[in-house]
Structures are given as structure tokens and as C-alpha cells.
Amino acid sequence: MQSERVERIKYLVGILNQASRAYYAEDKEIMSNREYDSLYDELQELEKETGIVLANSPTVNVGYEAVEELPKERHETPMLSLDKTKSREDLRDWLQEQKGVLSWKLDGLTIVLTYRNGKLEKAVTRGNGEIGEVITNNARTFVNLPLGIPFRGELVLRGEAVISYSDFEEINKGIAEEAAKYKNPRNLCSGSVRQLNSEITAGRRVRFYAFTLVSAGEEEGVRTEYFRNSIDEQFRFLMEQGFETVEHYPVSGGDILDRIDFFEKKVETNDIPSDGLVLTYDDIAYGQSLGRTAKFPRHSIAFKWADELRETTLKEIEWSASRTGLINPVAIFEPVELEGTTVSRASVHNISILRSLQLGIGDRITVYKANMIIPQIAENLTAKEAEAMGKSPAGEEGDAHLVEIPACCPVCGRKTEVRQVNDVKSLYCTNEKCAAKQVKAFTLFVSRDAMNIDGLSEATLEKFIDSGFIHEFADLFHLDRYQDKIVEMEGFGEKSYRNLMESIDRARNTILPRVVYGLGIANIGVANAKMLCRYFDHDLKRMQEADVETLSAIEGVGEVIATAFVNYMRDGDNLRKIENLMEELRIEIPRIDAQSQNLAGLSFVITGSLNKYASRSDLKEAIEQRGGKVTGSVTGKTTCLINNDVASTSSKNKKARELGIPVLSEEDFLGQYGMEIE
């Protein structure tokens, strides 16, 4: 079947790219040359048989191009917006007795693609609905977009270019300046798709999901009318051409509410950004017969998740300092119930947002949970009412009503400064020795993935710093000097003190990746720390002596991370503190031999509960000790998904099946890859 061959193509592209990267970038072999050639030949044959060639296929080389500006082009068919509702009952009533198709409303950038003679000819952004920008070169770098398809007539379709949450987080990790990090995947995607240099787009891992077949011209000898009056059949046709489509389901008035509930539960864990749903009549002729209003077509309607808004009163703005020096404004308001939990605070993120809301103490505000998770301020009712009356939000007080930006750091009292990065203004503490930076740094150092010292909460660390007990990491291992004072502190006693000392003593026996991560070097997360330690054979001195060029050459590091690491290790005070710390620790060097690295070059995803391992973190650690890699989302590069509920209909299981990636139970995985628990 065509669908099975499409899935096989996706699998072969993934495994061959994985093998090439391991061979050329990591100096490792995960398959023999003979096996690679055999799979490569199979891929070529399948591409020839199906006419489907994916943009990231090893059989094609996509050249990068740069232009001075993106040309504009008028759409043959205007792209209208959809009418919207936040009522589930409205959706059901809108559908009436008709059959419909319900799908995600993805939160990215809409693209129109044109194929002729089986080849991608043109890609144009939505623009203003009438005129868009031609981004064909950039579209050729989308990781899952077919450059060639079996259909030989003219094919025009629409879809959404998106960047997944997991890829968004990875890209942000490579940006040292906190204020310069991208705020959400949609903004990053929009900028990535519209780059003048397609090489930049290629590095952003943009994906394309088709959602509408606009037209399909006649193809000699092929019946195309079979899909023309059914949206569901059009989706099936597009999938047969090699396109990934938005997740969609046929619905009727009897089951649409249940399907909405399904999407609502899934939105919290879905890796692809979405801001609602789209309902379309499955009967295309019927939908078209309804015509359109001045603004909207009548064949489809959008459903936006209804934000649960609560009105409350702003009590204060708390300024929260971080170990990077960034000072974030946090709104404190009268507690309200939102999505089943009591909420009394919400981040305002930066000064630009603070000022746009015109916040003042005592203002009436509305709050909600973005994507039903993160508390946010929706609007300032006081300012809105004042503006409607043509007055200042505070009457005669004017700007004096607005929350004052602190001139001094709320922690150390030293001068602050406002910095503007990418049109966003944020507040920073200028004192490199600020205690807040120390508290946050110590909090990271004692965290579970670092030194894993129990009994040292942020509040306790703050007390110890204020009391002068600790100035650098090594001081934590000499808290016994202050036993008499600690046992007298509020919340402590002899038992709490003994437990803390035992935890600190256990932490002396550790491994180098935990130490490197715990140092808090900008952009060095748990995975990067492990990768660096493996690369330098767990030799700290070699790591400290490495230059930017050497570090940048390591896959997954890059110049930003390399520069931050080198700058940290070139600082004399940092080196002195590291030396003092290492005198307190007993570092275990893992013994690595070729036989123990049987998972080298392989990538796994773990989901669900486990039986043999205490936690997913433990299994992840075991895999990484054998040279494997554990990621958070299933992609074409994933070797297998580990899930004890093999038959689950979860998004990860479904994605694995779509990509032809095995789903193994914990026991089957351990047996297949020769892993035993002692």
C-alpha cells in the first residue's frame, strides 16, 4: 500500500541520516557500509516508485541560497480568516446534521505550496491574505516537506509551518542573553520562514503540516475525482503524496463534544503549538454552496479555547532577580480560582509588557492561564476604563500611578539598568557579586541533577548566605563549623542538621557531569554537561584548557555555548573556586570500553511508568552510560520509543507508528539491547 511505502521512506531517511551523522560528525559507525548502501538503494528505489522525495532525504542535496529581499506575489485565491467561537455547543449546532472534520488549529505561519510535474515549484506565505512573500528556497529546507510527489498534475495546497516546543527549547538554550531568547515558537517560526538566507531557516527545524487541498489539476490516466467531495478523503490523498497533515478526525453532532474533550486533554502535552481547533464540513460541495460573508467563508469555523478569566486586584509588583542578573516583574494579586487551582501571582516577563499594561497598584485586572497552564494578566480594567473616558489611568496623577521601575536591585541594593534586546526592554542588576545571583547559583548547584543535596531549599540557602556561612560551593562541605548556629535556626534542629550533613557527605561521591552542570555555566544543561565530559574522557583539566574552536566542533555545542564555557574557565576566580571544590569531592570516573557502548549513536524516547527502573531518569542514565541519547519527543531520528503501554493511543505512540519507529516495552527494550539490572 502507498501509505506503508510512505512510512518506510520516512523511516529510511531518518536512519540513514542518523548513520551519516554518526560516521562523519561523531567518528562512530552504527551500521556497516554494506548495510548503509543496501538501505540507501532501497530508499532510492522507493522514491522512484512513489515519486516522493523528502527535503531531508540523503539522496538529495538542498543548496542554500540568499536573497536581498523576498519577492511578493498575489494569491490566486484570497486567503480568508475563519469565524470563531469559544462555545462547544456552538460548534455542535453549527454542524447540525452534517458530517465534519475536526483538526488542530496550528499556531505557526500559513504557507501555500504549488507542485507541478511532481516537483515543488513555489511556496508563498499567507501575508495579508491577498499578497504573500515567496519563500520557496526556505521551504525546501523544511525537515518533513516532500520536494517530489507522485501526483503529476498541478497541485496547490495550504498548510502551517511550525516549530515544535522541544525544538524551540533547544534553540533557546543556545542563546546566552536571557532577554534575547525567543518568547514563543510562533514568533520564532515566522522569523525563520521569512529569512533572506535559507541556511538560517535550515537550522531552525521548521516543519510543515498540510490542512487544505486548494486544487488538483487533471493527471492523465489517474482518477482524481474520488477525493474531490470529501475533506477527509482529501487529507488521505495528501498523506499518500508524502505530506504530514494536521491531526484530524471525522465527527458528527453525536460525538463532536467527546472529540473536543479529547483535544483539550491532549493540548497540554502536544509538542506542536496550537491555539484551538478547526471544524470543516466534510461535504465540500455543501460547504461551498453556503458561500461566504464579507469576512469569512461559511464552510469552516475556528474554535478557540475559552480562557477562564477572573477579575482581581493588583496588590504589588515583586521584582525577582535571577542568577543571570535579569530582574523579572511578578504581579501579586488577590487570590482567585483558575482551572481548578488557586492563583495569586503571574509573571509580567519584562518592562515592555509591564508598561504596555499600564499597571498600577490597586488596579482591577483580569487573569487567566495561557494554554490552561501558565498564569497571565489578560488586561488592566482600570486603565481600559480610564482610556475610554479620555483620562489617564490615575487621573491627575498621570504616570505617577504606574509601577515604579526600581533603580536599585531588590536583593543587593546596587544599581540596576534597563537593557533593550530585540525591541524588548528588561531590567538587570549590574552587581556581579549580587546575593540573588549567589542564591540562584547555589540552588542549581544543590539540585537533583547536580550535587543532589537534600535539605537545602532556596530559603535555607538564603539564610546561610546572609549569615556568612557560605561564599562559594566548597563552603557547603564545611557547614559543620556552624553547627551551633544552624540548629538554633527556625525550621532546623539536631535531626534536621544531621540529615543535612549526611546528605552533604553523600554528595562528596559524585561524577563529573553533575559538577559541570552544577557550576551554572550559561547554556550548559544536563545533556551538554554529559556530552562534554564524554568527549574529554571525564578529564576536567582537558575541558578547562579547550578553546572555542575545539568546543565548537563538538556536535551539539556550537559557538555560543563554547564561548560561554571558555569565558567561564578563563576567569581566575572561577578556577580558584573550582579547585577548592574539587578538593572536597571524590569523582568517580566511569570505565568505558567498546563493548559497554552498545547504544552509541542511537536515540531513544521514554514515556509512561516503568517497572524495573525506579524512574525514567534512572533508565535515561543507564542508556547514556552506554553511549545512547534520550530525547523528549519522537522524530525520524528516534531509534525506538520505550513505553510499557505499547498499544496506547498517546501522541508519542501515534507519532512512532507514523514514522515506522518501534514501540518497545521496558522488558523488550532491555532484552533487545542487552541491558540488565543488577
Side-chain angles (χ1 to χ4, degrees):
M1 290 178 61
Q2 176 78 349
S3 60
E4 293 176 351
R5 294 193 295 178
V6 170
E7 293 306 316
R8 181 62 178 172
I9 286 174
K10 293 177 181 178
Y11 170 76
L12 291 173
V13 168
I15 195 67
L16 288 171
N17 284 341
Q18 183 180 341
S20 294
R21 185 173 59 257
Y23 184 83
Y24 291 107
E26 302 170 5
D27 197 24
K28 295 183 293 190
E29 287 190 39
I30 63 173
M31 65 174 63
S32 66
N33 289 338
R34 182 172 180 175
E35 183 180 4
Y36 182 94
D37 291 342
S38 175
L39 294 177
Y40 187 94
D41 291 344
E42 181 187 353
L43 175 62
Q44 274 192 319
E45 188 62 30
L46 279 172
E47 289 176 341
K48 183 178 179 181
E49 290 176 3
T50 64
I52 297 172
V53 182
L54 299 181
N56 61 340
S57 172
T59 65
V60 297
N61 291 315
V62 180
Y64 301 129
E65 296 185 33
V67 295
E68 294 184 1
E69 64 177 13
L70 294 173
K72 306 290 195 300
E73 182 171 303
R74 182 175 295 275
H75 296 296
E76 292 185 12
T77 305
M79 300 180 65
L80 303 177
S81 299
L82 296 180
D83 197 5
K84 300 176 180 63
T85 182
K86 290 188 176 182
S87 167
R88 298 159 188 255
E89 288 69 26
D90 283 354
L91 277 192
R92 182 183 59 191
D93 295 343
W94 181 89
L95 190 58
Q96 297 181 336
E97 300 302 318
Q98 292 289 322
K99 298 292 184 181
V101 175
L102 190 66
S103 64
W104 287 119
K105 183 177 181 293
L106 298 185
D107 194 15
L109 193 69
T110 300
I111 306 293
V112 183
L113 302 178
T114 301
Y115 288 77
R116 289 193 177 95
N117 297 318
K119 304 295 182 184
L120 174 64
E121 182 173 284
K122 184 171 55 180
V124 184
T125 66
R126 181 186 188 279
N128 62 7
E130 296 281 344
I131 298 174
E133 294 172 305
V134 180
I135 49 96
T136 310
N137 293 333
N138 293 342
R140 294 182 189 279
T141 71
F142 294 174
V143 295
N144 65 336
L145 185 70
L147 298 181
I149 60 175
F151 187 73
R152 289 297 182 264
E154 180 180 88
L155 183 70
V156 182
L157 68 147
R158 295 172 184 165
E160 200 82 354
V162 297
I163 292 177
S164 69
Y165 285 117
S166 52
D167 285 334
F168 170 75
E169 291 167 3
E170 284 296 318
I171 291 169
N172 260 349
K173 284 179 183 178
I175 302 174
E177 189 71 25
E178 191 70 23
K181 293 180 183 292
Y182 297 100
K183 301 307 177 189
N184 57 64
R186 186 191 187 284
N187 289 353
L188 175 58
C189 181
S190 178
S192 301
V193 169
R194 300 170 62 250
Q195 287 289 328
L196 297 180
N197 186 342
S198 61
E199 187 171 4
I200 298 176
T201 308
R204 301 284 176 79
R205 295 192 57 76
V206 180
R207 299 175 183 277
F208 177 85
Y209 292 91
F211 59 67
T212 297
L213 174 63
V214 178
S215 63
E218 291 294 339
E219 179 185 8
E220 186 177 351
V222 177
R223 287 183 69 246
T224 58
E225 64 271 13
Y226 74 96
F227 60 77
R228 287 185 175 170
N229 200 44
S230 168
I231 294 294
D232 196 37
E233 288 297 331
Q234 286 191 353
F235 270 123
R236 188 172 292 111
F237 169 76
L238 289 173
M239 288 188 285
E240 289 177 353
Q241 304 307 307
F243 295 101
E244 290 192 51
T245 62
V246 296
E247 186 174 358
H248 60 281
Y249 299 93
V251 292
S252 65
D255 62 12
I256 187 171
L257 297 184
D258 290 338
R259 184 56 69 179
I260 295 173
D261 288 340
F262 164 82
F263 276 112
E264 183 179 22
K265 292 175 183 176
K266 192 170 183 178
V267 71
E268 295 185 16
T269 57
N270 198 33
D271 197 33
I272 304 301
S274 66
D275 56 359
L277 305 173
V278 174
L279 176 61
T280 302
Y281 291 120
D282 184 56
D283 188 324
I284 298 173
Y286 175 77
Q288 291 177 343
S289 71
L290 300 175
R292 48 175 283 189
T293 67
K295 294 183 178 180
F296 312 116
R298 289 196 173 99
H299 56 65
S300 299
I301 187 171
F303 173 78
K304 302 284 286 186
W305 301 115
D307 297 320
E308 186 180 358
L309 287 174
R310 289 288 183 270
E311 183 178 327
T312 184
T313 301
L314 182 66
K315 295 168 62 178
E316 64 174 306
I317 292 292
E318 179 184 283
W319 295 89
S320 177
S322 71
R323 64 185 177 89
T324 64
L326 181 66
I327 305 175
N328 287 316
V330 179
I332 311 298
F333 44 81
E334 293 292 345
V336 291
E337 289 290 321
L338 274 179
E339 307 289 351
T341 61
T342 301
V343 178
S344 61
R345 55 195 292 128
S347 174
V348 190
H349 301 294
N350 53 58
I351 293 175
S352 295
I353 295 176
L354 182 77
R355 285 296 180 242
S356 69
L357 287 168
Q358 296 184 278
L359 291 175
I361 306 305
D363 284 352
R364 291 184 301 109
I365 59 176
T366 55
V367 294
Y368 70 104
K369 281 188 176 180
N371 289 329
M372 300 181 290
I373 301 172
I374 305 170
Q376 301 279 294
I377 296 177
E379 62 179 341
N380 184 341
L381 298 178
T382 301
K384 185 178 181 180
E385 290 170 2
E387 183 179 352
M389 297 173 66
K391 299 179 180 180
S392 165
E396 296 179 358
E397 295 180 14
D399 287 346
H401 165 76
L402 300 179
V403 170
E404 184 178 356
I405 308 300
C408 299
C409 173
V411 176
C412 70
R414 296 284 289 275
K415 181 182 177 182
T416 62
E417 68 178 20
V418 176
R419 302 174 190 167
Q420 182 166 323
V421 181
N422 293 342
D423 297 326
V424 174
K425 292 182 178 180
S426 301
L427 188 67
Y428 286 85
C429 173
T430 59
N431 178 16
E432 288 301 320
K433 304 300 180 183
C434 177
K437 297 180 183 179
Q438 288 184 287
V439 171
K440 299 296 184 182
F442 276 105
T443 301
L444 175 68
F445 183 76
V446 304
S447 65
R448 184 181 63 181
D449 290 326
M451 302 309 293
N452 194 24
I453 301 177
D454 292 328
L456 285 176
S457 65
E458 187 168 313
T460 299
L461 287 167
E462 189 172 355
K463 291 178 183 178
F464 287 178
I465 292 172
D466 291 343
S467 301
F469 298 166
I470 52 177
H471 302 277
E472 58 182 87
F473 296 142
D475 294 336
L476 287 168
F477 298 91
H478 296 287
L479 286 173
D480 54 338
R481 297 169 180 170
Y482 308 100
Q483 178 178 355
D484 294 342
K485 294 181 180 179
I486 292 175
V487 295
E488 296 298 324
M489 284 183 166
E490 183 180 353
F492 267 89
E494 288 291 347
K495 184 176 181 180
S496 296
Y497 170 79
R498 286 197 305 272
N499 290 340
L500 174 59
M501 290 301 107
E502 289 173 4
S503 182
I504 289 174
D505 195 49
R506 286 195 300 271
R508 290 181 183 274
N509 298 300
T510 188
I511 57 176
L512 191 58
R514 287 182 173 271
V515 179
V516 173
Y517 169 63
L519 293 176
I521 304 171
N523 302 306
I524 303 294
V526 176
N528 285 334
K530 292 177 179 178
M531 179 176 58
L532 287 170
C533 291
R534 283 198 298 267
Y535 185 85
F536 290 101
D537 298 324
H538 295 262
D539 187 330
L540 179 60
K541 186 172 179 59
R542 284 180 58 201
M543 294 171 66
Q544 291 175 321
E545 293 174 347
D547 56 22
V548 172
E549 184 179 0
T550 300
L551 290 166
S552 298
I554 303 173
E555 184 185 9
V557 175
E559 187 174 353
V560 172
I561 296 176
T563 301
F565 188 87
V566 169
N567 288 343
Y568 187 93
M569 292 301 179
R570 293 292 187 269
D571 184 285
D573 194 41
N574 288 339
L575 290 176
R576 178 187 62 79
K577 291 177 180 178
I578 292 173
E579 185 176 352
N580 293 341
L581 171 62
M582 297 304 287
E583 290 179 0
E584 305 296 333
L585 305 177
R586 294 182 285 271
I587 303 295
E588 178 185 347
I589 306 296
R591 290 174 296 181
I592 300 175
D593 57 64
Q595 290 184 340
S596 71
Q597 296 297 285
N598 63 311
L599 303 184
L602 304 183
S603 179
F604 304 91
V605 175
I606 309 169
T607 189
S609 59
L610 299 175
N611 299 324
K612 296 183 178 295
Y613 279 85
S615 67
R616 281 179 279 182
S617 295
D618 289 346
L619 178 54
K620 177 182 178 182
E621 184 75 22
I623 290 172
E624 289 175 343
Q625 286 176 358
R626 290 164 174 78
K629 180 180 179 182
V630 176
T631 62
S633 57
V634 177
T635 70
K637 302 175 184 178
T638 304
T639 303
C640 80
L641 170 64
I642 304 166
N643 186 356
N644 278 324
D645 188 358
V646 176
S648 167
T649 58
S650 68
S651 58
K652 285 188 172 68
N653 278 41
K654 182 178 179 183
K655 187 67 174 178
R657 286 193 290 270
E658 289 175 352
L659 297 176
I661 291 166
V663 180
L664 302 180
S665 68
E666 180 186 7
E667 185 173 354
D668 288 343
F669 165 75
L670 296 176
Q672 182 168 327
Y673 289 94
M675 295 176 61
E676 298 179 359
I677 300 179
E678 297 179 358

